[in-house]
Amino acid sequence: DGITTSNGGSGGLTLSTHSPLTIAADIIQTSDITLTAGDSPGPGDDLTVNANVTIRSTGAGAGEGNVALSAGDNIVLGAGSKIESRALPADPLTAGKTITLTAGTGGEQGSITGAGAIAGESVVLDAHSGVGTGTGGRIQIEGAFLAARTRDSGGVFVDSTSATPLTIQTLG
């Protein structure tokens, strides 16, 4: 009921389910990463990144290195989880790359919650009912640009861990 091992390999990774998706092991790829928990009738189409799990794209070439997570309902980032676009954990962020999290793609309520961290030059957070809310705490953002919105209700609650100023823009 989720990814429990990943060998990385070369290239990108696209994984789509028609039910919940749980990431239980690190995913490190050399190109784009796209993970989708598709929408179905009823609740529970969540994408969960377990505690202390890393999703990282190391791609630096044109058209590679982006990370996209989407869920029919909620995205939950476990404590200590990381979503990154950079070659190695201590390296600078890869220029020109975007990390996008979209919750509630089926038009139903959806939020982005948890105590995880997101590190990408540009970060886009889009949810129906809250970003960084709930019992998990605020999402940690390291990046140069953040665009975020909640479409129906709730607010955007994030903490910046960037060494440089973070430019924030609200969407729609």
Side-chain angles (χ1 to χ4, degrees), residues 74-146:
N74 304 300
I75 296 176
V76 180
L77 303 178
S81 64
K82 298 175 189 168
I83 302 169
E84 303 177 318
S85 180
R86 64 171 111 214
L88 296 169
D91 284 355
L93 299 174
T94 305
K97 306 307 172 191
T98 301
I99 296 177
T100 305
L101 277 65
T102 307
T105 59
E108 301 167 9
Q109 294 296 315
S111 61
I112 302 169
T113 61
I118 302 171
E121 183 180 58
S122 296
V123 176
V124 178
L125 305 174
D126 187 4
H128 269 283
S129 57
V131 172
T133 58
T135 60
R138 294 179 182 217
I139 296 170
Q140 306 297 309
I141 303 291
E142 177 187 352
F145 179 78
L146 168 66

Short mmCIF file of all heavy atoms in Angstrom, two decimals, residues 74-146:
data_model
loop_
_atom_site.label_atom_id
_atom_site.label_comp_id
_atom_site.label_asym_id
_atom_site.label_seq_id
_atom_site.Cartn_x
_atom_site.Cartn_y
_atom_site.Cartn_z
N ASN A 74 -5.99 15.14 0.49
CA ASN A 74 -4.96 15.81 1.29
C ASN A 74 -3.55 15.36 0.95
O ASN A 74 -3.33 14.24 0.53
CB ASN A 74 -5.22 15.54 2.77
CG ASN A 74 -6.61 15.97 3.19
OD1 ASN A 74 -6.97 17.12 3.07
ND2 ASN A 74 -7.39 15.01 3.66
N ILE A 75 -2.59 16.25 1.23
CA ILE A 75 -1.17 15.91 1.22
C ILE A 75 -0.70 16.06 2.65
O ILE A 75 -0.88 17.11 3.28
CB ILE A 75 -0.36 16.82 0.28
CG1 ILE A 75 -0.81 16.62 -1.18
CG2 ILE A 75 1.14 16.54 0.44
CD1 ILE A 75 -0.14 17.55 -2.17
N VAL A 76 -0.07 15.00 3.18
CA VAL A 76 0.41 14.98 4.56
C VAL A 76 1.92 14.74 4.54
O VAL A 76 2.38 13.72 4.02
CB VAL A 76 -0.29 13.89 5.38
CG1 VAL A 76 0.23 13.89 6.82
CG2 VAL A 76 -1.80 14.06 5.33
N LEU A 77 2.67 15.69 5.12
CA LEU A 77 4.12 15.57 5.19
C LEU A 77 4.51 15.19 6.62
O LEU A 77 4.35 15.98 7.55
CB LEU A 77 4.78 16.90 4.81
CG LEU A 77 4.42 17.46 3.43
CD1 LEU A 77 5.09 18.80 3.21
CD2 LEU A 77 4.80 16.47 2.34
N GLY A 78 5.01 13.97 6.79
CA GLY A 78 5.40 13.49 8.11
C GLY A 78 6.55 14.29 8.68
O GLY A 78 7.33 14.93 7.96
N ALA A 79 6.67 14.28 10.00
CA ALA A 79 7.74 15.02 10.68
C ALA A 79 9.10 14.59 10.14
O ALA A 79 9.38 13.41 10.00
CB ALA A 79 7.67 14.75 12.18
N GLY A 80 9.92 15.56 9.80
CA GLY A 80 11.25 15.27 9.28
C GLY A 80 11.29 14.89 7.81
O GLY A 80 12.37 14.65 7.26
N SER A 81 10.14 14.82 7.14
CA SER A 81 10.15 14.51 5.71
C SER A 81 10.67 15.72 4.94
O SER A 81 10.58 16.85 5.40
CB SER A 81 8.76 14.12 5.22
OG SER A 81 7.85 15.20 5.35
N LYS A 82 11.26 15.45 3.75
CA LYS A 82 11.85 16.51 2.93
C LYS A 82 11.48 16.30 1.48
O LYS A 82 11.54 15.18 0.97
CB LYS A 82 13.37 16.51 3.06
CG LYS A 82 13.88 16.77 4.44
CD LYS A 82 15.39 16.63 4.48
CE LYS A 82 15.88 16.68 5.91
NZ LYS A 82 17.27 16.27 6.02
N ILE A 83 11.14 17.41 0.82
CA ILE A 83 10.92 17.40 -0.63
C ILE A 83 11.90 18.42 -1.18
O ILE A 83 11.84 19.61 -0.81
CB ILE A 83 9.47 17.76 -0.98
CG1 ILE A 83 8.52 16.77 -0.30
CG2 ILE A 83 9.27 17.76 -2.49
CD1 ILE A 83 7.08 17.16 -0.36
N GLU A 84 12.83 17.99 -2.04
CA GLU A 84 13.93 18.84 -2.45
C GLU A 84 14.20 18.80 -3.94
O GLU A 84 13.94 17.80 -4.60
CB GLU A 84 15.23 18.41 -1.75
CG GLU A 84 15.15 18.39 -0.25
CD GLU A 84 16.44 17.88 0.39
OE1 GLU A 84 17.02 16.90 -0.12
OE2 GLU A 84 16.85 18.47 1.38
N SER A 85 14.81 19.89 -4.43
CA SER A 85 15.35 19.95 -5.78
C SER A 85 16.78 20.48 -5.65
O SER A 85 17.01 21.68 -5.61
CB SER A 85 14.52 20.87 -6.68
OG SER A 85 15.08 20.90 -7.97
N ARG A 86 17.72 19.55 -5.52
CA ARG A 86 19.14 19.87 -5.40
C ARG A 86 19.95 18.60 -5.56
O ARG A 86 19.42 17.51 -5.36
CB ARG A 86 19.45 20.56 -4.08
CG ARG A 86 19.19 19.70 -2.87
CD ARG A 86 19.71 20.35 -1.60
NE ARG A 86 18.62 20.76 -0.74
CZ ARG A 86 18.65 21.84 0.03
NH1 ARG A 86 19.68 22.62 0.05
NH2 ARG A 86 17.64 22.13 0.81
N ALA A 87 21.23 18.74 -5.89
CA ALA A 87 22.06 17.57 -6.16
C ALA A 87 22.30 16.72 -4.90
O ALA A 87 22.12 15.51 -4.93
CB ALA A 87 23.39 18.00 -6.77
N LEU A 88 22.68 17.35 -3.81
CA LEU A 88 22.95 16.66 -2.56
C LEU A 88 22.32 17.45 -1.42
O LEU A 88 22.08 18.66 -1.55
CB LEU A 88 24.46 16.52 -2.32
CG LEU A 88 25.23 15.66 -3.33
CD1 LEU A 88 26.73 15.83 -3.15
CD2 LEU A 88 24.84 14.20 -3.19
N PRO A 89 22.07 16.82 -0.26
CA PRO A 89 21.37 17.51 0.82
C PRO A 89 21.98 18.86 1.23
O PRO A 89 21.25 19.79 1.56
CB PRO A 89 21.42 16.52 1.97
CG PRO A 89 21.52 15.19 1.31
CD PRO A 89 22.34 15.42 0.07
N ALA A 90 23.29 19.00 1.21
CA ALA A 90 23.93 20.25 1.65
C ALA A 90 24.19 21.22 0.50
O ALA A 90 24.66 22.34 0.72
CB ALA A 90 25.24 19.94 2.36
N ASP A 91 23.90 20.81 -0.74
CA ASP A 91 24.15 21.66 -1.90
C ASP A 91 23.15 22.81 -1.98
O ASP A 91 22.05 22.73 -1.43
CB ASP A 91 24.06 20.85 -3.19
CG ASP A 91 25.27 19.98 -3.43
OD1 ASP A 91 26.23 20.08 -2.64
OD2 ASP A 91 25.25 19.20 -4.39
N PRO A 92 23.52 23.86 -2.74
CA PRO A 92 22.54 24.92 -2.98
C PRO A 92 21.35 24.38 -3.77
O PRO A 92 21.44 23.35 -4.43
CB PRO A 92 23.31 25.94 -3.83
CG PRO A 92 24.74 25.53 -3.78
CD PRO A 92 24.79 24.10 -3.37
N LEU A 93 20.25 25.11 -3.70
CA LEU A 93 19.06 24.72 -4.46
C LEU A 93 19.35 24.82 -5.95
O LEU A 93 20.10 25.68 -6.39
CB LEU A 93 17.89 25.62 -4.10
CG LEU A 93 17.48 25.58 -2.64
CD1 LEU A 93 16.42 26.62 -2.36
CD2 LEU A 93 17.00 24.20 -2.25
N THR A 94 18.77 23.91 -6.73
CA THR A 94 18.97 23.91 -8.17
C THR A 94 18.17 25.06 -8.79
O THR A 94 16.96 25.16 -8.60
CB THR A 94 18.54 22.57 -8.78
OG1 THR A 94 19.25 21.52 -8.11
CG2 THR A 94 18.83 22.51 -10.26
N ALA A 95 18.87 25.94 -9.50
CA ALA A 95 18.24 27.13 -10.08
C ALA A 95 17.20 26.74 -11.13
O ALA A 95 17.36 25.79 -11.88
CB ALA A 95 19.30 28.02 -10.71
N GLY A 96 16.10 27.51 -11.16
CA GLY A 96 15.09 27.34 -12.19
C GLY A 96 14.16 26.16 -12.00
O GLY A 96 13.40 25.82 -12.91
N LYS A 97 14.18 25.52 -10.85
CA LYS A 97 13.34 24.33 -10.62
C LYS A 97 12.21 24.67 -9.67
O LYS A 97 12.33 25.52 -8.79
CB LYS A 97 14.17 23.18 -10.06
CG LYS A 97 15.39 22.85 -10.90
CD LYS A 97 15.05 22.61 -12.36
CE LYS A 97 16.30 22.47 -13.19
NZ LYS A 97 16.04 22.49 -14.61
N THR A 98 11.09 23.97 -9.83
CA THR A 98 9.89 24.25 -9.05
C THR A 98 9.40 23.00 -8.34
O THR A 98 9.40 21.91 -8.92
CB THR A 98 8.76 24.79 -9.96
OG1 THR A 98 9.23 25.97 -10.60
CG2 THR A 98 7.51 25.10 -9.17
N ILE A 99 8.99 23.17 -7.10
CA ILE A 99 8.31 22.11 -6.36
C ILE A 99 6.87 22.56 -6.18
O ILE A 99 6.60 23.65 -5.68
CB ILE A 99 8.98 21.87 -4.99
CG1 ILE A 99 10.41 21.36 -5.21
CG2 ILE A 99 8.15 20.88 -4.17
CD1 ILE A 99 11.20 21.15 -3.94
N THR A 100 5.92 21.73 -6.63
CA THR A 100 4.50 22.06 -6.59
C THR A 100 3.74 21.01 -5.81
O THR A 100 3.85 19.82 -6.10
CB THR A 100 3.93 22.14 -8.03
OG1 THR A 100 4.70 23.06 -8.79
CG2 THR A 100 2.47 22.56 -8.02
N LEU A 101 2.95 21.44 -4.82
CA LEU A 101 2.06 20.56 -4.09
C LEU A 101 0.64 21.07 -4.29
O LEU A 101 0.36 22.25 -4.02
CB LEU A 101 2.38 20.55 -2.59
CG LEU A 101 3.52 19.62 -2.14
CD1 LEU A 101 4.85 20.03 -2.71
CD2 LEU A 101 3.57 19.57 -0.62
N THR A 102 -0.26 20.19 -4.78
CA THR A 102 -1.64 20.56 -5.04
C THR A 102 -2.55 19.56 -4.34
O THR A 102 -2.52 18.37 -4.63
CB THR A 102 -1.94 20.56 -6.55
OG1 THR A 102 -0.97 21.37 -7.21
CG2 THR A 102 -3.34 21.09 -6.82
N ALA A 103 -3.39 20.05 -3.41
CA ALA A 103 -4.31 19.19 -2.67
C ALA A 103 -5.75 19.56 -3.00
O ALA A 103 -6.08 20.73 -3.17
CB ALA A 103 -4.06 19.34 -1.17
N GLY A 104 -6.60 18.54 -3.09
CA GLY A 104 -8.00 18.76 -3.41
C GLY A 104 -8.25 18.89 -4.89
O GLY A 104 -9.08 19.67 -5.33
N THR A 105 -7.55 18.08 -5.70
CA THR A 105 -7.66 18.19 -7.15
C THR A 105 -9.03 17.76 -7.67
O THR A 105 -9.39 18.12 -8.78
CB THR A 105 -6.57 17.36 -7.86
OG1 THR A 105 -6.71 16.00 -7.48
CG2 THR A 105 -5.18 17.88 -7.51
N GLY A 106 -9.77 17.01 -6.88
CA GLY A 106 -11.08 16.54 -7.31
C GLY A 106 -12.19 17.53 -7.02
O GLY A 106 -13.35 17.23 -7.18
N GLY A 107 -11.82 18.74 -6.58
CA GLY A 107 -12.81 19.74 -6.27
C GLY A 107 -13.38 19.61 -4.87
O GLY A 107 -14.22 20.38 -4.45
N GLU A 108 -12.91 18.62 -4.12
CA GLU A 108 -13.35 18.43 -2.75
C GLU A 108 -12.38 19.15 -1.82
O GLU A 108 -11.37 19.67 -2.23
CB GLU A 108 -13.38 16.94 -2.41
CG GLU A 108 -14.29 16.14 -3.32
CD GLU A 108 -14.08 14.65 -3.19
OE1 GLU A 108 -13.35 14.21 -2.29
OE2 GLU A 108 -14.64 13.92 -4.02
N GLN A 109 -12.70 19.14 -0.54
CA GLN A 109 -11.80 19.73 0.44
C GLN A 109 -10.46 19.01 0.40
O GLN A 109 -10.41 17.80 0.24
CB GLN A 109 -12.40 19.63 1.84
CG GLN A 109 -13.64 20.47 2.01
CD GLN A 109 -13.37 21.95 1.87
OE1 GLN A 109 -12.41 22.47 2.43
NE2 GLN A 109 -14.19 22.65 1.10
N GLY A 110 -9.40 19.75 0.54
CA GLY A 110 -8.07 19.17 0.57
C GLY A 110 -7.11 20.15 1.20
O GLY A 110 -7.20 21.35 0.96
N SER A 111 -6.21 19.64 2.03
CA SER A 111 -5.25 20.51 2.68
C SER A 111 -3.84 19.93 2.56
O SER A 111 -3.67 18.76 2.23
CB SER A 111 -5.62 20.71 4.16
OG SER A 111 -5.62 19.46 4.82
N ILE A 112 -2.86 20.77 2.85
CA ILE A 112 -1.46 20.36 2.89
C ILE A 112 -1.02 20.56 4.34
O ILE A 112 -1.00 21.69 4.83
CB ILE A 112 -0.59 21.19 1.94
CG1 ILE A 112 -1.11 21.08 0.50
CG2 ILE A 112 0.87 20.76 2.03
CD1 ILE A 112 -0.48 22.06 -0.47
N THR A 113 -0.72 19.46 5.03
CA THR A 113 -0.41 19.54 6.44
C THR A 113 0.85 18.76 6.78
O THR A 113 1.37 18.01 5.96
CB THR A 113 -1.57 18.97 7.29
OG1 THR A 113 -1.75 17.58 6.95
CG2 THR A 113 -2.86 19.71 7.05
N GLY A 114 1.30 18.93 8.01
CA GLY A 114 2.43 18.16 8.51
C GLY A 114 3.60 19.04 8.86
O GLY A 114 3.58 20.26 8.69
N ALA A 115 4.63 18.40 9.38
CA ALA A 115 5.82 19.10 9.85
C ALA A 115 7.01 18.77 8.97
O ALA A 115 8.12 18.61 9.44
CB ALA A 115 6.10 18.73 11.30
N GLY A 116 6.78 18.68 7.66
CA GLY A 116 7.86 18.40 6.72
C GLY A 116 8.51 19.67 6.23
O GLY A 116 8.13 20.78 6.59
N ALA A 117 9.53 19.50 5.39
CA ALA A 117 10.29 20.62 4.83
C ALA A 117 10.30 20.53 3.31
O ALA A 117 10.34 19.43 2.75
CB ALA A 117 11.72 20.61 5.36
N ILE A 118 10.25 21.69 2.66
CA ILE A 118 10.29 21.77 1.20
C ILE A 118 11.42 22.71 0.83
O ILE A 118 11.49 23.84 1.31
CB ILE A 118 8.96 22.30 0.64
CG1 ILE A 118 7.80 21.40 1.08
CG2 ILE A 118 9.03 22.40 -0.88
CD1 ILE A 118 6.43 21.95 0.75
N ALA A 119 12.33 22.24 -0.04
CA ALA A 119 13.47 23.04 -0.46
C ALA A 119 13.55 23.05 -1.97
O ALA A 119 13.90 22.06 -2.60
CB ALA A 119 14.77 22.48 0.14
N GLY A 120 13.20 24.18 -2.57
CA GLY A 120 13.26 24.35 -4.01
C GLY A 120 13.34 25.83 -4.31
O GLY A 120 12.84 26.66 -3.54
N GLU A 121 13.96 26.19 -5.41
CA GLU A 121 14.08 27.61 -5.72
C GLU A 121 12.70 28.27 -5.77
O GLU A 121 12.50 29.35 -5.23
CB GLU A 121 14.81 27.84 -7.04
CG GLU A 121 14.98 29.32 -7.31
CD GLU A 121 15.68 29.63 -8.60
OE1 GLU A 121 15.20 29.20 -9.66
OE2 GLU A 121 16.71 30.30 -8.53
N SER A 122 11.75 27.61 -6.40
CA SER A 122 10.36 28.08 -6.41
C SER A 122 9.49 27.00 -5.81
O SER A 122 9.61 25.82 -6.15
CB SER A 122 9.89 28.37 -7.83
OG SER A 122 10.63 29.42 -8.39
N VAL A 123 8.59 27.40 -4.90
CA VAL A 123 7.68 26.47 -4.25
C VAL A 123 6.26 26.98 -4.46
O VAL A 123 5.98 28.15 -4.20
CB VAL A 123 7.99 26.35 -2.74
CG1 VAL A 123 6.98 25.44 -2.05
CG2 VAL A 123 9.41 25.84 -2.51
N VAL A 124 5.37 26.09 -4.94
CA VAL A 124 3.97 26.43 -5.15
C VAL A 124 3.13 25.50 -4.29
O VAL A 124 3.24 24.27 -4.41
CB VAL A 124 3.56 26.29 -6.63
CG1 VAL A 124 2.09 26.60 -6.81
CG2 VAL A 124 4.42 27.18 -7.52
N LEU A 125 2.30 26.08 -3.40
CA LEU A 125 1.42 25.30 -2.53
C LEU A 125 -0.01 25.73 -2.80
O LEU A 125 -0.35 26.90 -2.66
CB LEU A 125 1.77 25.55 -1.06
CG LEU A 125 3.23 25.29 -0.67
CD1 LEU A 125 3.47 25.71 0.77
CD2 LEU A 125 3.59 23.84 -0.89
N ASP A 126 -0.86 24.78 -3.21
CA ASP A 126 -2.23 25.08 -3.62
C ASP A 126 -3.17 24.07 -2.98
O ASP A 126 -3.06 22.87 -3.23
CB ASP A 126 -2.31 25.02 -5.14
CG ASP A 126 -3.64 25.49 -5.69
OD1 ASP A 126 -4.51 25.94 -4.91
OD2 ASP A 126 -3.81 25.40 -6.92
N ALA A 127 -4.09 24.55 -2.13
CA ALA A 127 -5.01 23.65 -1.43
C ALA A 127 -6.38 24.30 -1.30
O ALA A 127 -6.52 25.51 -1.39
CB ALA A 127 -4.46 23.30 -0.05
N HIS A 128 -7.39 23.46 -1.07
CA HIS A 128 -8.74 23.97 -0.84
C HIS A 128 -8.88 24.56 0.55
O HIS A 128 -9.47 25.61 0.73
CB HIS A 128 -9.79 22.85 -1.01
CG HIS A 128 -10.32 22.74 -2.39
ND1 HIS A 128 -11.24 23.61 -2.89
CD2 HIS A 128 -10.04 21.87 -3.38
CE1 HIS A 128 -11.52 23.28 -4.14
NE2 HIS A 128 -10.80 22.22 -4.46
N SER A 129 -8.36 23.87 1.56
CA SER A 129 -8.71 24.26 2.93
C SER A 129 -7.53 24.33 3.88
O SER A 129 -7.58 23.79 4.97
CB SER A 129 -9.76 23.30 3.48
OG SER A 129 -9.29 21.97 3.42
N GLY A 130 -6.46 24.96 3.48
CA GLY A 130 -5.37 25.21 4.42
C GLY A 130 -4.04 24.62 3.99
O GLY A 130 -3.97 23.55 3.41
N VAL A 131 -3.00 25.38 4.29
CA VAL A 131 -1.63 24.96 4.05
C VAL A 131 -0.87 25.13 5.36
O VAL A 131 -0.87 26.21 5.94
CB VAL A 131 -0.96 25.82 2.95
CG1 VAL A 131 0.52 25.50 2.84
CG2 VAL A 131 -1.66 25.62 1.61
N GLY A 132 -0.26 24.04 5.82
CA GLY A 132 0.53 24.13 7.05
C GLY A 132 -0.32 24.23 8.29
O GLY A 132 0.12 24.75 9.31
N THR A 133 -1.53 23.74 8.22
CA THR A 133 -2.43 23.81 9.37
C THR A 133 -2.62 22.43 9.96
O THR A 133 -2.14 21.44 9.42
CB THR A 133 -3.80 24.37 8.95
OG1 THR A 133 -4.33 23.53 7.92
CG2 THR A 133 -3.68 25.78 8.42
N GLY A 134 -3.33 22.35 11.04
CA GLY A 134 -3.61 21.06 11.66
C GLY A 134 -2.63 20.74 12.76
O GLY A 134 -1.85 21.57 13.19
N THR A 135 -2.64 19.51 13.20
CA THR A 135 -1.83 19.10 14.34
C THR A 135 -0.36 18.93 14.00
O THR A 135 0.47 18.86 14.89
CB THR A 135 -2.35 17.77 14.92
OG1 THR A 135 -2.29 16.78 13.90
CG2 THR A 135 -3.77 17.91 15.42
N GLY A 136 -0.02 18.86 12.73
CA GLY A 136 1.36 18.60 12.34
C GLY A 136 2.29 19.78 12.46
O GLY A 136 3.50 19.63 12.46
N GLY A 137 1.78 20.99 12.55
CA GLY A 137 2.63 22.16 12.63
C GLY A 137 2.84 22.80 11.27
O GLY A 137 2.23 22.43 10.29
N ARG A 138 3.71 23.77 11.26
CA ARG A 138 3.98 24.52 10.03
C ARG A 138 4.96 23.80 9.13
O ARG A 138 5.87 23.12 9.59
CB ARG A 138 4.54 25.89 10.38
CG ARG A 138 3.54 26.75 11.09
CD ARG A 138 4.15 28.08 11.42
NE ARG A 138 3.17 28.86 12.14
CZ ARG A 138 3.02 30.15 11.99
NH1 ARG A 138 3.79 30.82 11.17
NH2 ARG A 138 2.12 30.80 12.68
N ILE A 139 4.79 24.01 7.84
CA ILE A 139 5.71 23.46 6.85
C ILE A 139 6.91 24.40 6.76
O ILE A 139 6.76 25.62 6.73
CB ILE A 139 4.99 23.33 5.49
CG1 ILE A 139 3.84 22.33 5.61
CG2 ILE A 139 5.97 22.93 4.40
CD1 ILE A 139 2.93 22.29 4.41
N GLN A 140 8.11 23.82 6.71
CA GLN A 140 9.35 24.59 6.61
C GLN A 140 9.68 24.79 5.13
O GLN A 140 9.71 23.82 4.37
CB GLN A 140 10.51 23.85 7.29
CG GLN A 140 10.22 23.45 8.73
CD GLN A 140 9.98 24.64 9.61
OE1 GLN A 140 10.78 25.57 9.64
NE2 GLN A 140 8.87 24.64 10.33
N ILE A 141 9.91 26.05 4.73
CA ILE A 141 10.20 26.37 3.33
C ILE A 141 11.60 26.93 3.21
O ILE A 141 11.96 27.88 3.90
CB ILE A 141 9.20 27.42 2.77
CG1 ILE A 141 7.75 26.94 2.90
CG2 ILE A 141 9.56 27.78 1.33
CD1 ILE A 141 7.39 25.77 2.01
N GLU A 142 12.41 26.34 2.32
CA GLU A 142 13.71 26.90 1.94
C GLU A 142 13.63 27.18 0.45
O GLU A 142 13.46 26.25 -0.34
CB GLU A 142 14.85 25.94 2.24
CG GLU A 142 16.18 26.47 1.79
CD GLU A 142 17.32 25.47 1.92
OE1 GLU A 142 17.11 24.39 2.50
OE2 GLU A 142 18.40 25.78 1.41
N GLY A 143 13.71 28.43 0.08
CA GLY A 143 13.61 28.77 -1.33
C GLY A 143 13.71 30.26 -1.54
O GLY A 143 13.84 31.03 -0.59
N ALA A 144 13.64 30.67 -2.79
CA ALA A 144 13.69 32.08 -3.13
C ALA A 144 12.31 32.65 -3.38
O ALA A 144 12.08 33.84 -3.20
CB ALA A 144 14.57 32.29 -4.36
N PHE A 145 11.34 31.79 -3.78
CA PHE A 145 10.02 32.26 -4.18
C PHE A 145 8.96 31.27 -3.70
O PHE A 145 9.10 30.07 -3.89
CB PHE A 145 9.95 32.38 -5.70
CG PHE A 145 8.62 32.83 -6.23
CD1 PHE A 145 8.25 34.16 -6.17
CD2 PHE A 145 7.74 31.92 -6.77
CE1 PHE A 145 7.01 34.58 -6.65
CE2 PHE A 145 6.50 32.31 -7.25
CZ PHE A 145 6.14 33.66 -7.18
N LEU A 146 7.92 31.78 -3.05
CA LEU A 146 6.80 30.95 -2.60
C LEU A 146 5.51 31.55 -3.11
O LEU A 146 5.24 32.73 -2.92
CB LEU A 146 6.75 30.89 -1.06
CG LEU A 146 5.48 30.29 -0.45
CD1 LEU A 146 5.36 28.80 -0.78
CD2 LEU A 146 5.45 30.50 1.06
#
